[in-house]
Coordinates of all heavy atoms in Angstrom, one line a residue:
D974 N -3.9 20.7 -5.1 CA -2.9 21.8 -4.9 C -1.6 21.2 -4.4 O -1.3 21.3 -3.2 CB -3.5 22.9 -3.9 CG -2.7 24.2 -4.0 OD1 -1.5 24.1 -4.5 OD2 -3.2 25.2 -3.5
V975 N -0.9 20.7 -5.3 CA 0.4 20.0 -4.9 C 1.4 20.9 -4.2 O 2.0 20.5 -3.2 CB 1.0 19.2 -6.1 CG1 2.3 18.5 -5.7 CG2 0.0 18.2 -6.7
P976 N 1.6 22.1 -4.8 CA 2.6 23.0 -4.1 C 2.2 23.3 -2.7 O 3.0 23.4 -1.8 CB 2.5 24.3 -5.0 CG 2.2 23.8 -6.3 CD 1.2 22.7 -6.1
A977 N 0.9 23.4 -2.4 CA 0.4 23.7 -1.0 C 0.8 22.5 -0.1 O 1.1 22.7 1.1 CB -1.1 24.0 -1.0
V978 N 0.7 21.3 -0.6 CA 1.0 20.1 0.1 C 2.5 20.1 0.5 O 2.9 19.9 1.6 CB 0.7 18.8 -0.6 CG1 1.2 17.6 0.1 CG2 -0.9 18.7 -0.8
F979 N 3.3 20.4 -0.5 CA 4.8 20.5 -0.3 C 5.1 21.6 0.7 O 6.0 21.4 1.5 CB 5.5 20.7 -1.6 CG 5.8 19.4 -2.4 CD1 4.7 18.8 -3.1 CD2 7.0 18.9 -2.4 CE1 5.0 17.6 -3.8 CE2 7.3 17.7 -3.1 CZ 6.2 17.0 -3.8
K980 N 4.4 22.7 0.6 CA 4.7 23.8 1.6 C 4.3 23.3 3.0 O 5.1 23.6 4.0 CB 3.8 25.0 1.2 CG 3.9 26.1 2.2 CD 5.3 26.7 2.4 CE 5.2 28.0 3.2 NZ 4.6 27.9 4.5
A981 N 3.2 22.6 3.1 CA 2.8 22.1 4.5 C 3.9 21.1 5.0 O 4.2 21.1 6.2 CB 1.4 21.4 4.4
L982 N 4.4 20.3 4.1 CA 5.4 19.3 4.5 C 6.7 20.0 4.9 O 7.3 19.6 5.9 CB 5.7 18.4 3.3 CG 4.6 17.4 2.9 CD1 5.0 16.7 1.6 CD2 4.4 16.4 4.0
D983 N 7.0 21.1 4.3 CA 8.1 21.9 4.7 C 7.9 22.5 6.1 O 8.8 22.5 7.0 CB 8.4 23.1 3.8 CG 9.1 22.7 2.5 OD1 9.9 21.7 2.6 OD2 9.0 23.4 1.5
D984 N 6.6 23.0 6.3 CA 6.3 23.6 7.6 C 6.4 22.6 8.8 O 6.8 23.1 9.9 CB 4.9 24.2 7.5 CG 4.8 25.4 6.6 OD1 5.8 26.0 6.3 OD2 3.6 25.7 6.2
I985 N 6.1 21.4 8.5 CA 6.2 20.4 9.6 C 7.5 19.7 9.7 O 7.8 18.8 10.5 CB 5.0 19.4 9.6 CG1 5.2 18.5 8.4 CG2 3.7 20.1 9.6 CD1 4.2 17.3 8.5
K986 N 8.4 20.1 8.7 CA 9.8 19.5 8.6 C 9.7 17.9 8.4 O 10.4 17.2 9.0 CB 10.6 19.8 9.8 CG 10.9 21.3 10.0 CD 11.7 21.6 11.2 CE 12.2 23.1 11.2 NZ 11.0 24.0 11.2
F987 N 8.8 17.6 7.5 CA 8.6 16.1 7.2 C 9.8 15.6 6.5 O 10.3 16.2 5.5 CB 7.3 16.0 6.4 CG 7.0 14.5 6.1 CD1 6.4 13.7 7.1 CD2 7.2 14.0 4.8 CE1 6.1 12.4 6.8 CE2 6.9 12.7 4.5 CZ 6.4 11.9 5.5
S988 N 10.3 14.4 6.9 CA 11.4 13.8 6.2 C 11.2 12.4 5.8 O 12.2 11.6 5.6 CB 12.6 13.9 7.2 OG 12.4 13.2 8.4
G989 N 10.0 12.0 5.7 CA 9.7 10.6 5.2 C 9.5 10.5 3.7 O 9.9 11.4 3.0
W990 N 8.9 9.4 3.3 CA 8.7 9.2 1.9 C 7.5 9.8 1.3 O 6.4 9.7 1.9 CB 8.7 7.7 1.6 CG 9.9 7.0 1.7 CD1 10.3 6.2 2.7 CD2 11.0 7.0 0.8 NE1 11.6 5.7 2.5 CE2 12.0 6.1 1.3 CE3 11.2 7.6 -0.5 CZ2 13.2 5.9 0.6 CZ3 12.4 7.3 -1.2 CH2 13.4 6.5 -0.6
G991 N 7.6 10.5 0.2 CA 6.5 10.9 -0.6 C 6.5 10.1 -1.9 O 7.5 10.1 -2.7
I992 N 5.5 9.2 -2.1 CA 5.5 8.2 -3.1 C 4.6 8.7 -4.2 O 3.4 8.8 -4.1 CB 5.1 6.8 -2.6 CG1 6.0 6.4 -1.4 CG2 5.1 5.8 -3.7 CD1 5.3 5.4 -0.5
I993 N 5.2 9.0 -5.4 CA 4.4 9.3 -6.5 C 3.6 8.1 -7.0 O 4.3 7.1 -7.3 CB 5.2 9.9 -7.7 CG1 6.0 11.2 -7.2 CG2 4.4 10.3 -8.9 CD1 7.0 11.7 -8.1
E994 N 2.3 8.2 -7.2 CA 1.6 7.1 -7.7 C 0.6 7.5 -8.8 O -0.1 8.5 -8.7 CB 0.7 6.4 -6.5 CG 0.0 5.2 -7.0 CD -0.8 4.6 -5.9 OE1 -1.7 5.3 -5.4 OE2 -0.6 3.4 -5.5
L995 N 0.6 6.7 -9.9 CA -0.2 6.9 -11.0 C -0.8 5.6 -11.4 O -0.1 4.7 -11.9 CB 0.5 7.6 -12.2 CG -0.3 8.0 -13.4 CD1 -1.3 9.1 -13.1 CD2 0.7 8.5 -14.5
D996 N -2.1 5.4 -11.1 CA -2.7 4.0 -11.2 C -2.6 3.4 -12.6 O -2.4 2.2 -12.7 CB -4.1 4.1 -10.8 CG -4.3 4.3 -9.3 OD1 -3.4 5.0 -8.7 OD2 -5.2 3.8 -8.7
G997 N -2.6 4.3 -13.6 CA -2.4 3.8 -15.0 C -2.1 5.0 -15.8 O -2.2 6.2 -15.4
V998 N -1.6 4.8 -17.1 CA -1.2 5.9 -17.9 C -2.5 6.6 -18.3 O -3.5 6.0 -18.7 CB -0.5 5.4 -19.2 CG1 0.9 4.9 -18.9 CG2 -1.3 4.4 -20.0
P999 N -2.6 7.9 -18.1 CA -3.9 8.7 -18.4 C -4.3 8.8 -19.8 O -5.4 8.9 -20.1 CB -3.6 10.0 -17.7 CG -2.1 10.2 -17.7 CD -1.5 8.8 -17.6

Side-chain angles (χ1 to χ4, degrees):
D974 192 344
V975 180
V978 171
F979 276 76
K980 174 60 169 58
L982 292 171
D983 281 335
D984 290 343
I985 68 169
K986 297 179 171 57
F987 182 77
S988 58
W990 287 104
I992 304 157
I993 301 172
E994 184 181 58
L995 187 60
D996 291 32
V998 293

